[in-house]
Amino acid sequence: AAVELDASNVKNDKGQLTNKEGNLLKDTRMHYVLIVTEDGTFSPALISMSSTQIKKSKRWLSMIQNVQMKDGAGRLFNPPSFSHIYKLTSLKETNDQGSWYGYEIHNGSQVTDALLYKAAKEFHAQIASGKVVAGAPPVDDVAGASEDKF
């Protein structure tokens, strides 16, 4: 659920934004995907990116928006996001607060499997219609877990 920021939102002693009830407000980017395995099977999933991964989420969206194809008349157009496959791998990252594994996103290739394309198109339609909705993100601040680490 989206939360509107207002004057009642404050930073706690750790510098994290909270609401008046003390709940942590965390900028999180959600990506609905179909995970394709090496054997070609696929399943729906949700990738959430927050903190250090937000820049990567933005770059991924730019990659998707920059894909151009030609229609039958030779005119360029931007195809739907589900028309391409992007490879995500993990990459060790560090800063002065520690180390963690983040995403590395590689340019997409056009989907060539008709069954996969149909499934991706149907999944997109379900998301657009509101039949698929992301739940609340898991609480990861228990037992001393850091918000930046996977």
Side-chain angles (χ1 to χ4, degrees), residues 2 23 29 37 49 63 65 68 71 77 80 87 108 123 129 136 140 143 150:
N23 296 320
R29 312 301 168 97
T37 61
M49 298 176 151
M63 278 183 206
Q65 293 169 350
Q68 293 187 336
D71 64 14
F77 72 98
K87 182 176 182 179
F123 189 40
S129 72
D140 59 0
F150 288 53

Side-chain angles (χ1 to χ4, degrees), residues 74-133:
R75 293 181 298 243
L76 290 175
F77 72 98
N78 296 100
S81 60
F82 55 81
S83 68
H84 282 66
I85 297 174
Y86 296 85
K87 182 176 182 179
L88 276 66
T89 57
S90 61
L91 176 70
K92 187 169 186 176
E93 301 180 45
T94 61
N95 66 18
D96 59 350
Q97 296 177 355
S99 64
W100 65 94
Y101 284 89
Y103 291 104
E104 184 170 33
I105 303 160
H106 305 273
N107 276 323
S109 59
Q110 189 173 353
V111 174
T112 57
D113 181 316
L115 186 61
L116 175 59
Y117 184 86
K118 181 180 177 188
K121 185 175 182 178
E122 288 174 5
F123 189 40
H124 177 269
Q126 290 174 340
I127 295 162
S129 72
K131 291 180 181 173
V132 174
V133 179

Side-chain angles (χ1 to χ4, degrees), residues 39-79:
D39 67 4
T41 59
F42 48 86
S43 60
L46 179 66
I47 295 175
S48 64
M49 298 176 151
S50 62
S51 190
T52 61
Q53 303 307 294
I54 289 176
K55 285 182 184 178
K56 295 174 186 185
S57 173
K58 290 178 180 181
R59 276 189 293 225
W60 190 7
L61 291 174
S62 291
M63 278 183 206
I64 292 168
Q65 293 169 350
N66 288 327
V67 172
Q68 293 187 336
M69 297 177 74
K70 289 186 179 182
D71 64 14
R75 293 181 298 243
L76 290 175
F77 72 98
N78 296 100

Side-chain angles (χ1 to χ4, degrees), residues 27-46:
D27 185 2
T28 304
R29 312 301 168 97
M30 308 296 250
H31 297 270
Y32 291 96
V33 299
L34 289 180
I35 295 177
V36 181
T37 61
E38 289 182 14
D39 67 4
T41 59
F42 48 86
S43 60
L46 179 66

